[in-house]
Amino acid sequence: CVLRKIAERTPLQRLLEHLLRSMEKRDPQQFFAWPVTDSIAPGYSQIITNPMDFSTIKQKIDDNSYQNLNEFVEDFKLMCDNATTYNHPDTIYYKAAKKLLPVGLKMVTPEKLRQLRPVLT
Ligand SMILES: COc1ccc(C(=O)NC2CCC2)cc1-c1cc(C(C)=O)n2cccnc12
């Protein structure tokens, strides 16, 4: 039926949702939860041409916009790189991004993904 069709998740979507939840947990202050606005970050939209945040990544997962894991990882890296581009090194946002990037990348190493398979299949 139509309703059931909408709810179904592909294995890739289930993997990406699991990884996203794990990454979001490492951003307790929710600095990366929503798009950065020019009101909280003056000139942001002029400096950052490709903004990215966890809510946008979530929407892309729901829209099945990611063809593979790598595209998801690229958006996560883009999100962190934007923060180290716009913010000065002595800011909490720069430091948060510097800390979040390696933590998130460690979640998608082959070793970590192998551990996931039984959970997600
Ligand atoms: C969705 O973005 C945000 C949401 C909430 C907060 C926030 O709670 N900031 C308070 C902690 C000291 C003020 C900051 C941000 C924020 C993220 C960012 C990023 C990610 O660059 N940022 C840059 C400059 C100023 N504010 C921010």
Side-chain angles (χ1 to χ4, degrees):
C1 76
V2 172
L3 285 182
R4 187 159 155 66
K5 193 82 200 109
I6 294 164
E8 268 166 26
R9 285 267 185 266
T10 66
L12 177 65
Q13 283 176 304
R14 296 219 316 270
L15 170 65
L16 299 186
E17 282 184 343
H18 171 83
L19 293 171
L20 177 63
R21 275 195 302 274
S22 305
M23 292 170 169
E24 287 174 325
K25 282 185 195 131
R26 312 305 292 262
D27 172 36
Q29 295 109 319
Q30 298 206 301
F31 294 155
F32 300 95
W34 309 105
V36 181
T37 59
D38 284 348
S39 51
I40 63 172
Y44 194 85
S45 59
Q46 267 87 13
I47 297 163
I48 298 299
T49 45
N50 296 309
M52 190 48 63
D53 69 283
F54 282 137
S55 75
T56 303
I57 291 175
K58 171 75 173 124
Q59 190 57 57
K60 287 179 72 170
I61 294 171
D62 292 349
D63 298 345
N64 211 9
S65 303
Y66 293 116
Q67 292 302 303
N68 52 54
L69 175 61
N70 193 56
E71 289 179 0
F72 166 86
V73 173
E74 285 311 303
D75 270 354
F76 171 73
K77 286 195 292 192
L78 170 64
M79 182 183 78
C80 295
D81 293 345
N82 286 342
T84 53
T85 299
Y86 175 83
N87 301 283
H88 289 285
D90 59 357
T91 61
I92 53 176
Y93 310 114
Y94 182 103
K95 291 169 189 166
K98 274 291 189 198
K99 207 168 154 213
L100 184 62
L101 182 61
V103 165
L105 293 181
K106 276 192 196 86
M107 294 174 188
V108 293
T109 58
E111 177 50 37
K112 283 286 180 202
L113 292 173
R114 239 192 321 278
Q115 288 168 16
L116 278 183
R117 262 165 63 86
V119 167
L120 292 173
T121 42

